[in-house]
Amino acid sequence: MKPLSFKRHRFPTEVIKHALWLYFRFSLSLRDVEELLAERGIEVSYETIRCWAKKFGPAIARRLKRLRPSPSPRWHLDEMVCRVGGKRMYLWRAVDDEGEVLDLLVQRRRDTQAAKKLLMRLLGRQPVEPKLITTDGLRSYSAALSELGLEHLHRAGRLRENNRAENSHLPIRQRERRMQGFKSQSSAQRFLTTHAAVYNTFYTQQHLISRPTLRRFRAEAHGAWAKATA
């Protein structure tokens, strides 16, 4: 991976990296990040942080994704309604059975073509072939999988069977409320893609692991972030 270039920026590289980490890692608004930096004596406007996120976020997301191990071949697909620019749109998301966010796509429709577009992105970008695809009862999934010849992998269940995907919407809802909605389809797609990569890197199920294991996972996550922002 080529190193990121932080040249011609007034602020030091470490300040930019820390601001981006705060913004994508936690449910903070741009103004929240500005306040946290100001408390440390760093005067930077939230608009500058927005520019940093727009410029460096996608590149960091691609680097973090390359550093991740291969996901599980058992996929869960679901869609959620979101407000983008005051309009009703749909966020199509795919996660594996361990909660890893595989891909997401902001679209205007909730039909077979929208489901097919998400599936084609998944099949083209994931390093593993699916062995099981679990969805809710939306018929668009069945039609799209049938067109792609994957109906034998499909399991359409109720909410409990697709609970992994349903629960994975919660961090998105938190960010959506904190940001007071998304401004445009392109900005929503860009932010959520970067957010998913950072979420995958730092997410740990703390109630299932010991403290020494948690410390090791955190160290590995920060190591991956350091490599992705180098």
Side-chain angles (χ1 to χ4, degrees):
M1 295 183 293
K2 295 182 179 180
L4 293 177
S5 176
F6 294 94
K7 295 180 179 179
R8 295 184 297 277
H9 286 273
R10 181 163 63 91
F11 289 89
T13 300
E14 292 305 318
V15 172
I16 299 175
K17 292 180 180 179
H18 187 64
L20 293 174
W21 180 72
L22 288 172
Y23 182 55
F24 289 114
R25 174 68 181 91
F26 303 103
S27 295
L28 299 172
S29 67
L30 292 166
R31 288 178 173 83
D32 290 334
V33 178
E34 177 183 343
E35 287 290 334
L36 290 172
L37 293 177
E39 191 274 334
R40 296 191 175 192
I42 304 171
E43 292 295 336
V44 54
S45 72
Y46 69 92
E47 287 293 349
T48 299
I49 301 171
R50 188 199 307 276
C51 293
W52 292 344
K54 183 177 180 180
K55 179 178 181 180
F56 297 111
I60 293 173
R62 290 192 296 270
R63 288 159 167 255
L64 288 174
K65 190 173 182 180
R66 292 174 189 169
L67 295 171
R68 296 293 297 168
S70 296
S72 166
R74 293 174 291 277
W75 299 351
H76 295 255
L77 277 59
D78 196 32
E79 74 291 337
M80 58 180 279
V81 178
C82 58
R83 304 295 295 182
V84 178
K87 297 180 180 179
R88 181 187 180 95
M89 300 193 72
Y90 298 94
L91 174 59
W92 296 76
R93 301 176 69 251
V95 301
D96 68 7
D97 60 350
E98 297 180 351
E100 181 96 358
V101 181
L102 303 176
D103 207 344
L104 55 89
L105 194 59
V106 181
Q107 304 189 79
R108 297 181 180 274
R109 298 184 179 276
R110 186 172 178 253
D111 55 14
T112 301
Q113 290 304 313
K116 184 178 178 181
K117 188 174 182 179
L118 174 66
L119 285 164
M120 292 181 66
R121 278 172 60 99
L122 284 169
L123 295 171
R125 298 185 178 190
Q126 295 305 314
V128 296
E129 294 291 331
K131 294 182 179 179
L132 180 66
I133 301 177
T134 303
T135 70
D136 57 18
L138 184 66
R139 294 183 180 180
S140 298
Y141 290 116
S142 300
L145 287 165
S146 179
E147 290 183 15
L148 295 173
L150 300 175
E151 62 272 14
H152 61 288
L153 302 178
H154 186 212
R155 183 174 72 181
R158 298 181 179 179
L159 291 178
R160 179 174 297 180
E161 295 176 317
N162 203 30
N163 202 37
R164 175 61 73 180
E166 294 289 343
N167 289 339
S168 72
H169 293 324
L170 296 179
I172 302 301
R173 288 299 187 202
Q174 293 174 355
R175 292 310 300 256
E176 185 182 26
R177 289 193 296 269
R178 192 61 183 162
M179 299 170 66
Q180 299 180 359
F182 301 106
K183 301 304 182 290
S184 67
Q185 183 175 353
S186 60
S187 65
Q189 181 73 43
R190 180 174 57 250
F191 171 81
L192 293 173
T193 300
T194 306
H195 176 270
V198 177
Y199 175 84
N200 288 342
T201 301
F202 287 93
Y203 172 70
T204 55
Q205 301 185 54
Q206 299 185 21
H207 62 292
L208 298 178
I209 58 178
S210 64
R211 292 299 298 183
T213 302
L214 176 60
R215 288 193 293 269
R216 179 168 60 85
F217 284 172
R218 281 178 175 170
E220 291 174 354
H222 283 285
W225 175 264
K227 290 181 180 178
T229 57

